[in-house]
Amino acid sequence: MELYRPSEHEPLTEAAWDENRVRAGVAAIVADAEAALVDGAWPVHPRDGGDLPVPPTTLYLGAAGMVWALHRLGSSLDLGAVVARVRERYVEHPDFAPDLADPRSLLMGESGILLVARVVGSAAADDALLLARIRDNVANEFWELMWGSAGTMLAARAAGFDDEWRESARRLWAEWDEETELWTQLLYGRRRQLLGPVHGATGNIHALRGYDDDALRARTTRLLGRHALRDGELVNWPPGPTSRPDEIRVQWCHGAPGIVATVGDLLPLDLARGGGELTWRAGPLAKGCGLCHGTAGNGYALLKLFALTGDELWLDRARRFAVHALEQVERARAEHGRGRYSLWIGDVGAALFAQACLDGDARVPTIDVW
């Protein structure tokens, strides 16, 4: 079985790491995002459904994610006021989302907006409502990070709602099948078992850190060792145990980059290194610069290995990916005449990754930081 499809990747830029140029690239993305904001919303990119009737507000695709990114990168905007307007927009259109709306969801619902409001110190923060959303999500059958309790567990941890985190952790652990070491997710009307960080076991494992860490490490090693796809020193993982060969990906959301970036510290080092080596050899993603399924997200696996090993080879590789991601931003802007305003699939993801390479910070945006 092939571990990746070369057609989904592109040759790495020949441009070398230049700290001044990287800082300028990050600053340009921030300035463009600030200029594009209109009344608490950013325009929707054609690749994200440019004809959507309402600009998205959520953490994954919409304005709340942009506010969080600008908060991390530094911004001249009054982000507290911006996220207050974002929340008003969400309340005005509670059933609208470009995907499946659920107010409990961290990435696609009101929980994420409320957490961002809290993080930036906005008057729109409402801890009582955030707490209610977290409690309502304890038994969500999605059993993953985007909509399920794993996401709101991260919100509970960030907000200091320790009792709610423990209750969610207890229930999520109870759903963890002892035989398969997997959860069964109810996604889009189908029951599936998945491995990745956004929809599968890796995201759940990340949310369970601190519940029973010895057992967590042992079960993670068994699960990801069992499903690892190997070719010499290279390692990848399929989206799920029954995935077809044509479904194999090398992305943050599905495949080695996301697994290494999210739980690489819980894996035997040979597995983590193998996933990182595959990520490097496959090269930047042709899909674009972003975090979820783009070059910046893949680069976090390389930063994680730098953090785990101290070997500057991995930092150098991550920085090469960062330079490439910034070039992808410039190419896409020239093609479309505008930026792409989304935390997880847009330009600010490339800026966050480039800044992380400047700082040597391997933490994945939002889920490791808040």
Side-chain angles (χ1 to χ4, degrees):
M1 179 184 292
E2 293 184 345
L3 297 193
Y4 75 100
R5 292 190 286 180
S7 62
E8 296 188 343
H9 301 264
E10 62 186 32
L12 185 68
T13 178
E14 295 182 3
W17 172 264
D18 181 319
E19 184 171 315
N20 290 331
R21 290 186 64 186
V22 168
R23 291 188 187 280
V26 171
I29 291 171
V30 171
D32 177 66
E34 290 177 336
L37 175 68
V38 177
D39 191 25
W42 277 268
V44 182
H45 196 274
R47 292 180 64 184
D48 302 329
D51 59 349
L52 292 173
V54 180
T57 54
T58 57
L59 190 58
Y60 180 82
L61 186 62
M66 290 295 297
V67 169
W68 186 90
L70 291 173
H71 171 70
R72 292 292 300 172
L73 293 166
S75 174
S76 61
L77 297 175
D78 181 351
L79 296 175
V82 175
V83 79
R85 180 64 182 127
V86 172
R87 188 167 172 226
E88 288 176 355
R89 285 182 171 275
Y90 180 88
V91 172
E92 290 165 4
H93 304 280
D95 298 325
F96 171 78
D99 208 319
L100 180 61
D102 186 332
R104 301 170 296 175
S105 167
L106 176 70
L107 296 184
M108 296 295 288
E110 192 173 20
S111 290
I113 299 170
L114 292 167
L115 184 56
V116 171
R118 192 180 199 280
V119 167
V120 304
S122 173
D126 186 335
D127 279 0
L129 182 55
L130 177 59
L131 186 63
R133 296 292 189 221
I134 292 167
R135 287 172 173 168
D136 288 346
N137 212 35
V138 168
N140 190 328
E141 286 190 285
F142 280 74
W143 302 121
E144 44 87 89
L145 191 147
M146 180 171 276
W147 289 286
S149 63
T152 42
M153 284 170 65
L154 298 179
R157 194 196 303 274
F161 301 149
D162 295 340
D163 290 345
E164 284 66 31
W165 178 84
R166 280 191 291 270
E167 174 57 22
S168 293
R170 183 196 64 76
R171 182 63 187 270
L172 185 61
W173 192 283
E175 292 291 328
W176 196 356
D177 183 74
E178 293 187 4
E179 182 176 350
T180 66
E181 305 284 4
L182 286 162
W183 286 265
T184 298
Q185 285 88 24
L186 178 63
L187 292 169
Y188 307 108
R190 295 174 54 199
R191 294 197 178 275
R192 305 184 64 186
Q193 291 182 320
L194 297 170
L195 293 169
V198 70
H199 290 310
T202 300
N204 292 346
I205 289 165
H206 181 62
L208 284 165
R209 291 175 185 272
Y211 185 72
D212 185 340
D213 284 347
D214 289 341
L216 191 71
R217 181 179 295 275
R219 295 185 76 171
T220 301
T221 296
R222 288 196 301 269
L223 169 65
L224 295 176
R226 178 186 307 161
H227 294 289
L229 307 174
R230 305 170 192 258
D231 183 1
E233 65 178 339
L234 305 180
V235 177
N236 199 7
W237 286 270
T242 61
S243 296
R244 304 186 308 271
D246 65 347
E247 293 177 312
I248 303 300
R249 297 289 184 270
V250 183
Q251 301 175 171
W252 182 82
C253 50
H254 295 294
I259 287 173
V260 173
T262 309
V263 298
D265 56 311
L266 299 178
L267 294 176
L269 192 54
D270 66 312
L271 275 183
R273 277 198 179 117
E277 190 64 38
L278 175 76
T279 301
W280 169 250
R281 293 195 195 179
L285 279 162
K287 292 178 179 178
C289 69
L291 294 172
C292 186
H293 38 266
T295 300
N298 282 21
Y300 274 99
L302 309 177
L303 272 183
K304 185 72 167 191
L305 282 158
F306 171 60
L308 290 174
T309 66
D311 187 344
E312 293 208 355
L313 169 69
W314 294 108
L315 178 59
D316 292 341
R317 288 175 167 184
R319 286 174 166 175
R320 291 288 303 279
F321 267 45
V323 171
H324 193 98
L326 291 175
E327 288 189 358
Q328 287 179 309
V329 170
E330 294 173 0
R331 294 202 312 261
R333 185 175 293 132
E335 178 183 354
H336 296 285
R338 43 149 302 166
R340 192 174 187 182
Y341 307 110
S342 159
L343 168 58
W344 282 95
I345 56 179
D347 301 352
V348 292
L352 287 163
F353 177 58
Q355 187 63 51
C357 287
L358 287 164
D359 299 338
D361 184 355
R363 294 177 298 168
V364 176
T366 66
I367 68 170
D368 281 337
V369 182
W370 302 116

Short mmCIF file of all heavy atoms in Angstrom, two decimals, residues 341-368:
data_model
loop_
_atom_site.label_atom_id
_atom_site.label_comp_id
_atom_site.label_asym_id
_atom_site.label_seq_id
_atom_site.Cartn_x
_atom_site.Cartn_y
_atom_site.Cartn_z
N TYR A 341 -9.99 34.00 4.78
CA TYR A 341 -10.11 34.40 6.18
C TYR A 341 -10.75 33.30 7.00
O TYR A 341 -11.97 33.26 7.20
CB TYR A 341 -10.89 35.71 6.27
CG TYR A 341 -10.30 36.78 5.37
CD1 TYR A 341 -10.97 37.21 4.23
CD2 TYR A 341 -9.04 37.31 5.64
CE1 TYR A 341 -10.42 38.16 3.39
CE2 TYR A 341 -8.47 38.26 4.81
CZ TYR A 341 -9.16 38.68 3.68
OH TYR A 341 -8.59 39.61 2.85
N SER A 342 -9.92 32.39 7.48
CA SER A 342 -10.36 31.27 8.28
C SER A 342 -9.17 30.78 9.09
O SER A 342 -8.05 30.71 8.58
CB SER A 342 -10.89 30.14 7.38
OG SER A 342 -10.87 28.89 8.06
N LEU A 343 -9.42 30.44 10.35
CA LEU A 343 -8.34 29.93 11.19
C LEU A 343 -7.81 28.60 10.68
O LEU A 343 -6.61 28.41 10.52
CB LEU A 343 -8.84 29.78 12.63
CG LEU A 343 -7.93 28.99 13.60
CD1 LEU A 343 -6.55 29.62 13.69
CD2 LEU A 343 -8.58 28.91 14.98
N TRP A 344 -8.68 27.64 10.42
CA TRP A 344 -8.23 26.29 10.17
C TRP A 344 -7.90 26.00 8.71
O TRP A 344 -7.16 25.05 8.43
CB TRP A 344 -9.26 25.28 10.70
CG TRP A 344 -9.16 25.13 12.19
CD1 TRP A 344 -9.89 25.78 13.13
CD2 TRP A 344 -8.21 24.34 12.90
NE1 TRP A 344 -9.47 25.43 14.39
CE2 TRP A 344 -8.44 24.55 14.28
CE3 TRP A 344 -7.19 23.47 12.52
CZ2 TRP A 344 -7.69 23.91 15.27
CZ3 TRP A 344 -6.44 22.84 13.51
CH2 TRP A 344 -6.70 23.06 14.87
N ILE A 345 -8.42 26.78 7.78
CA ILE A 345 -8.09 26.50 6.38
C ILE A 345 -7.61 27.74 5.63
O ILE A 345 -7.43 27.68 4.41
CB ILE A 345 -9.29 25.87 5.63
CG1 ILE A 345 -10.53 26.75 5.72
CG2 ILE A 345 -9.59 24.49 6.18
CD1 ILE A 345 -11.72 26.17 4.98
N GLY A 346 -7.36 28.83 6.34
CA GLY A 346 -7.01 30.07 5.68
C GLY A 346 -5.61 30.57 6.00
O GLY A 346 -4.76 29.88 6.57
N ASP A 347 -5.39 31.83 5.64
CA ASP A 347 -4.08 32.45 5.68
C ASP A 347 -3.52 32.58 7.10
O ASP A 347 -2.31 32.46 7.31
CB ASP A 347 -4.13 33.84 5.05
CG ASP A 347 -4.59 33.81 3.60
OD1 ASP A 347 -4.74 32.71 3.02
OD2 ASP A 347 -4.82 34.90 3.04
N VAL A 348 -4.39 32.87 8.08
CA VAL A 348 -3.87 33.08 9.44
C VAL A 348 -3.27 31.80 10.01
O VAL A 348 -2.41 31.86 10.89
CB VAL A 348 -4.94 33.65 10.40
CG1 VAL A 348 -5.31 35.07 10.03
CG2 VAL A 348 -6.16 32.74 10.47
N GLY A 349 -3.68 30.64 9.51
CA GLY A 349 -3.04 29.40 9.93
C GLY A 349 -1.58 29.37 9.54
O GLY A 349 -0.71 28.94 10.31
N ALA A 350 -1.29 29.84 8.32
CA ALA A 350 0.10 29.92 7.88
C ALA A 350 0.88 30.92 8.72
O ALA A 350 2.05 30.70 9.06
CB ALA A 350 0.16 30.30 6.40
N ALA A 351 0.24 32.03 9.07
CA ALA A 351 0.90 33.03 9.91
C ALA A 351 1.19 32.48 11.30
O ALA A 351 2.28 32.70 11.86
CB ALA A 351 0.03 34.28 10.01
N LEU A 352 0.25 31.77 11.88
CA LEU A 352 0.46 31.16 13.20
C LEU A 352 1.60 30.15 13.17
O LEU A 352 2.43 30.10 14.09
CB LEU A 352 -0.82 30.49 13.69
CG LEU A 352 -1.94 31.44 14.14
CD1 LEU A 352 -3.26 30.70 14.20
CD2 LEU A 352 -1.61 32.06 15.50
N PHE A 353 1.66 29.37 12.10
CA PHE A 353 2.73 28.37 12.01
C PHE A 353 4.09 29.05 11.82
O PHE A 353 5.08 28.67 12.44
CB PHE A 353 2.46 27.39 10.87
CG PHE A 353 3.56 26.38 10.69
CD1 PHE A 353 3.93 25.55 11.73
CD2 PHE A 353 4.25 26.30 9.49
CE1 PHE A 353 4.97 24.63 11.58
CE2 PHE A 353 5.27 25.38 9.32
CZ PHE A 353 5.63 24.55 10.37
N ALA A 354 4.14 30.07 10.97
CA ALA A 354 5.39 30.79 10.79
C ALA A 354 5.86 31.41 12.10
O ALA A 354 7.05 31.36 12.45
CB ALA A 354 5.22 31.87 9.72
N GLN A 355 4.93 32.00 12.86
CA GLN A 355 5.28 32.57 14.16
C GLN A 355 5.76 31.48 15.11
O GLN A 355 6.71 31.68 15.88
CB GLN A 355 4.08 33.30 14.76
CG GLN A 355 4.40 34.07 16.05
CD GLN A 355 5.42 35.18 15.81
OE1 GLN A 355 5.26 36.01 14.91
NE2 GLN A 355 6.49 35.19 16.60
N ALA A 356 5.12 30.31 15.06
CA ALA A 356 5.54 29.19 15.90
C ALA A 356 6.97 28.76 15.56
O ALA A 356 7.73 28.37 16.46
CB ALA A 356 4.58 28.02 15.73
N CYS A 357 7.34 28.81 14.28
CA CYS A 357 8.70 28.47 13.88
C CYS A 357 9.69 29.52 14.36
O CYS A 357 10.85 29.20 14.67
CB CYS A 357 8.77 28.30 12.37
SG CYS A 357 7.99 26.80 11.76
N LEU A 358 9.29 30.76 14.40
CA LEU A 358 10.14 31.81 14.97
C LEU A 358 10.36 31.57 16.46
O LEU A 358 11.46 31.77 16.99
CB LEU A 358 9.50 33.18 14.77
CG LEU A 358 9.52 33.74 13.35
CD1 LEU A 358 8.53 34.90 13.22
CD2 LEU A 358 10.92 34.22 12.97
N ASP A 359 9.30 31.11 17.14
CA ASP A 359 9.34 30.95 18.59
C ASP A 359 9.78 29.55 19.03
O ASP A 359 10.01 29.32 20.23
CB ASP A 359 7.96 31.23 19.19
CG ASP A 359 7.49 32.65 18.93
OD1 ASP A 359 8.35 33.53 18.68
OD2 ASP A 359 6.26 32.87 18.95
N GLY A 360 9.83 28.59 18.10
CA GLY A 360 10.10 27.20 18.47
C GLY A 360 8.98 26.60 19.31
O GLY A 360 9.23 25.80 20.23
N ASP A 361 7.75 26.95 18.99
CA ASP A 361 6.57 26.56 19.79
C ASP A 361 5.78 25.50 19.03
O ASP A 361 5.15 25.77 18.02
CB ASP A 361 5.71 27.80 20.02
CG ASP A 361 4.51 27.53 20.92
OD1 ASP A 361 4.29 26.36 21.29
OD2 ASP A 361 3.80 28.49 21.26
N ALA A 362 5.79 24.27 19.52
CA ALA A 362 5.16 23.15 18.82
C ALA A 362 3.69 22.99 19.14
O ALA A 362 3.05 22.06 18.63
CB ALA A 362 5.89 21.85 19.17
N ARG A 363 3.11 23.85 19.94
CA ARG A 363 1.72 23.68 20.33
C ARG A 363 0.78 23.95 19.15
O ARG A 363 0.88 24.99 18.48
CB ARG A 363 1.37 24.61 21.50
CG ARG A 363 2.10 24.28 22.79
CD ARG A 363 1.74 25.29 23.87
NE ARG A 363 2.17 26.64 23.48
CZ ARG A 363 1.79 27.75 24.13
NH1 ARG A 363 0.98 27.66 25.19
NH2 ARG A 363 2.22 28.93 23.72
N VAL A 364 -0.15 23.04 18.92
CA VAL A 364 -1.13 23.20 17.85
C VAL A 364 -2.11 24.29 18.23
O VAL A 364 -2.61 24.33 19.37
CB VAL A 364 -1.88 21.88 17.59
CG1 VAL A 364 -2.97 22.06 16.54
CG2 VAL A 364 -0.90 20.79 17.16
N PRO A 365 -2.41 25.23 17.31
CA PRO A 365 -3.31 26.33 17.65
C PRO A 365 -4.64 25.87 18.26
O PRO A 365 -5.18 24.82 17.90
CB PRO A 365 -3.53 27.00 16.29
CG PRO A 365 -2.26 26.76 15.56
CD PRO A 365 -1.84 25.36 15.96
N THR A 366 -5.14 26.62 19.15
CA THR A 366 -6.35 26.40 19.95
C THR A 366 -6.20 25.17 20.84
O THR A 366 -6.09 25.31 22.04
CB THR A 366 -7.65 26.32 19.12
OG1 THR A 366 -7.66 25.18 18.27
CG2 THR A 366 -7.86 27.58 18.30
N ILE A 367 -6.16 23.99 20.29
CA ILE A 367 -6.33 22.78 21.10
C ILE A 367 -5.18 22.57 22.11
O ILE A 367 -5.36 21.86 23.10
CB ILE A 367 -6.53 21.51 20.26
CG1 ILE A 367 -5.28 21.15 19.48
CG2 ILE A 367 -7.72 21.70 19.32
CD1 ILE A 367 -5.36 19.78 18.83
N ASP A 368 -4.03 23.19 21.85
CA ASP A 368 -2.90 23.11 22.79
C ASP A 368 -2.66 24.41 23.54
O ASP A 368 -1.82 24.45 24.44
CB ASP A 368 -1.60 22.78 22.05
CG ASP A 368 -1.46 21.32 21.70
OD1 ASP A 368 -2.10 20.48 22.36
OD2 ASP A 368 -0.70 21.01 20.77
#
